[in-house]
Amino acid sequence: MWNIPSVVSVLCLLHHVCSQNSDFFQNLDCVTHDLENLFCRWDTPYPVEQKILYEVCSKPQMPESCFETIGNELVVEFQAFSTSEISIEAKDVPGNPSTRFQRSYLNIPYVPYPPEIHSVVADYQADVLSVEWTVNSTSLISEVKLTCEMNVLRGENLLLVKNETVEEKWNSDSGMFHWNWTSDFSLNCVSHSVRVRCFVHEEYYSGEIRMSDWSATKTVSDSSSEEDEFFPNDIAVPVGSNASFCCKINSGHQIESITFKSNSCSLMGLGSNSSSGIRLTNLQKSGSSGDNIICYTHGMEYATGTVVFVGYPPEQPQDFSCEARHLRVINCTWKAGRDTGLYGPKRGTKYTLYERFSRINTTCSVPFQEPEELNCSFDLRKEQDLHDFLLLATNPLGSSNTSLAINITERIHPLPIDNFIMRDTSPTVVYLSWFLPGKYKSINLLCEIEIKLLHGDTETRNVTFEGLNDSSYNCDVGNLHPYHVYDFRVRCASHDHFWKWSDWSNSIRHTTLTAAPSRKLDIWREIHQTPEGREIKVYWKHLTPKEANGVVTSYKVMWRPLYSDGLPQTIQMTADLNRTTIILSSQDEEDYEINVMAINSAGSSMPSRITTVVLPNDVKVEKIEGEGNGINLTWSPDPGASCGYLVKWIPSAHPPDSALMWRRFSTNAASGFISSKYFQAGLRYNITLYVCKNDAHQVLREMIVYGEELAPIMAPNFTVSETTSRSIKLKWEPISEEYTRGFLQGYLAYIVMQQNDSSETRFQDLDRHTETKVLNITNPTERQLSITGLRSSTSYTLGLQAYTKGGMGPIKSFSVLTNDHAVSLILAILIPILVAIVLGVVSTAICYRKREWIKETFYPDIPNPENSKALQFPKNTTEGSKPIKTLEMNRCTPSSVEVVEPFPKILDTELNSPMSDSGKILEDSSETQDDNHAGVIYTQPATHEDTSNSVLDGSASPSVVYIDVQSMYQPQANSEDEPDIDFADGAGYKPQMQLPITSTVNMDNQASTEDDVATSSGYRPQGHPNTWATDSPGSPTSIGSENASFGSPCSVNSRNFLIPPVDTKDSLKLTHIGWSISSLFQSKQDE
């Protein structure tokens, strides 16, 4: 059975702590550092400063041991493979709180002792920290592995800038551990601190293993200067790299900004209030003076700064070579390669030449701006031919080197030649001499002489000499051309082991002596028969400078009869001439021998001979085509040819004497080629081929040719010789030879029908016009062309151009109109005439059928009112007839009516009541109105119950205003039986009977008498009722009646109709007036 103490022990082991007062002992933790002692620590509710006395009892083994300690920690013996029971009781705390717990290695963490940093060394040039530390090895087993965590802290603020884990292996021989760290900022900017802690990989400990506590911090200080500083200062960095810079202000000011090449950069904290840094990335090549970095304090006040130089490390020297110039000094040359961008004595590339056999170092001087090729000299040592050189190039960013091993006797490069002179020996030989400095006695020299003919070829000749020390060398140069200008220069090299030529000497220009011409003249003659005799023109070609051997001063021409003993004749021609004329009389028919010589200051040339003998031959003129680069001629060899062949050519159109050219060919030749440089493009030439037989010439072929055919420059001048309705006939003139510029191959005729008369086809576009008809005339001798299939009365644009092998010439063109077709012309005349006749016949038939309607509508009969008796009163109203009774006036209410008709003059007449209150006759008044129209106006009177009283009162008497109605009422001369009646409006009723109206009535001139008034007083009926009609005056029914009533059949004072007789119904029918278009196609009722 389990006893109580055993149960309690198990429970305490499971819970780690068995406490009577768990609130007092807080965060109780026990660890081991060396696997030999147990270290426990706890917290209490009391302040840390208060020291509490504890009684600790532990019994890792019987019996239990107790001891007292002050403070919240204790150390007891640790048994790795047993359980330790520990009790702690606070003695000087009320209540004596206590706790009891058990520990074994399974639940006790193993925490190594903190490492100890022995030293931290700062390399301020390389910005490297070197750290050395050790660990407590009392509990370590041999060959144990350690993992240590390294921390680098920057500035007084202990800014963590590096956290790195390193692994080390400890054994019994291990002492110090080392670790290096390179700072990205200069160590001078700010102080740096280092701390370390480690983890022990103890394989034999089964409990928990923890990282040790941090070691004590070790600090290295920054720069101790009291001035403001910038780090690093004036450094060189490679292109594309990153660099960090820091500004340290010791004056107490605050850093405001840091600029790089005048651009502000982002500031980085460095764990110190007096330092700030910037980081530049991917730096590019700087200028020769570097790039500025400036630090500004508050208020943009300059504090400090630096210059950064960005460049490249030196490349390996290229084309490294060493040679001896005169066996005294070895000179080495090379090319630096890529420009480093770093200059000056501090940062520029430095070169060192090292010779391994002699172990001699030579520092090579380099100018500030490196040239394309660098050199360095090394003194040659006696009896040392083999040399092994190492060339080292260094700058702040790196170094490179190259090497070369040589035998100096195989690399001799002589110095330039000096004191080069020459003199003449003969026209073909000159003497040369020169001086060569240097020691060359042990070798043989090879010298090269360059002979350059002015405006000619260059020739070199080599001469070998035995080497001398600082000596002169000379030689003769022959096979030169007399009177030629040469440039001479010379250079030398080692003959035994050729390496390099020396530099060329100065060039000397020299003219050789004059000699007699070395070649005979090339001559020709032309014979022309004139009325005065024969004319022989002699031509010769000037000698070239190489043939003349000097300046030709004159030409000597001599001729003599070929078959007689006549004396020779001679003339001297100046040097600028190349022809002369010999005139023979008409009686002189002999053949002559002609000789020509060239003369200079040294003598004359051999005479050139030609005769005037011409062998007859009948040949035809041929046409040949030239090639692009010249003219190729062939012929059949003549068995009798003894002195070769000759080809002569001359322009065919008015050639001058100077244009004649010729060329000779050997006897065996059967073809010849003449270059195009002798022919002008587009110009025709006459070519004649001669064969020479015993100094006599015979024509083999005659040809015409163009060196190069071009397009004509003139269009044919053509005209239209005949034009029909369907065809056009053209004629043109041939083009002059000078304008064809080639053999004419034909003509192109263009025919284009014009779209309209206002626009013409552009002639230069005829060949591209879509509707152009082109006729190709391949016969160049053709001079006319008939064009058929055309349209009549159509305008055409015609164009004509000539063409050769060289292309098309210009187009000449004009427009032409084809003739009208005869049938079309007749139809154009007859059709309008027939249309006019048909229209006339139709119009006449219609007019005849509608003649009455046309007459009534457009020009009706207008009766003359003067001839009407309807308005005339009987001459004797009381004689032979019954007295006229006055009709009683019916009551009517007249209205105002105005009838307006055009008439040139106006008459206004007012008719008033015949009676007034005083019984006197009222006078009419008449006024002339507007001359443009006339009318009748009825004025409506006021209405009264008693009509008679109204009349008597005269208060509202109606009035009629006559405004000359029409010419139908114009007064006419009275007949003899009807004398004129002076009518004056009087008082009383006036019927409308035979009322004379004139175009102009002056009421003042109408004399009214009392008798007339009395006669006309009273009611007057409208006589002749059978003439009444309802039509208005001027209607067709009223015009035909002589006594028709005027106007409406009502009285002047009434608008009521007077009832006509019943049997006169026809007189009351309505009459149609006016017309319409429909009436034109209707018949009259009476028809």
Side-chain angles (χ1 to χ4, degrees), residues 334 389 465 472 497 795 817 843 867 1073:
W334 66 91
F389 292 103
F465 300 95
S472 295
H497 301 282
S795 179
L817 182 66
S843 300
N867 296 330
I1073 60 175

Side-chain angles (χ1 to χ4, degrees), residues 937-957:
I937 300 175
Y938 296 93
T939 302
Q940 179 179 356
T943 305
H944 296 279
E945 295 296 332
D946 191 355
T947 304
S948 62
N949 293 335
S950 174
V951 173
L952 294 176
D953 293 340
S955 60
S957 62

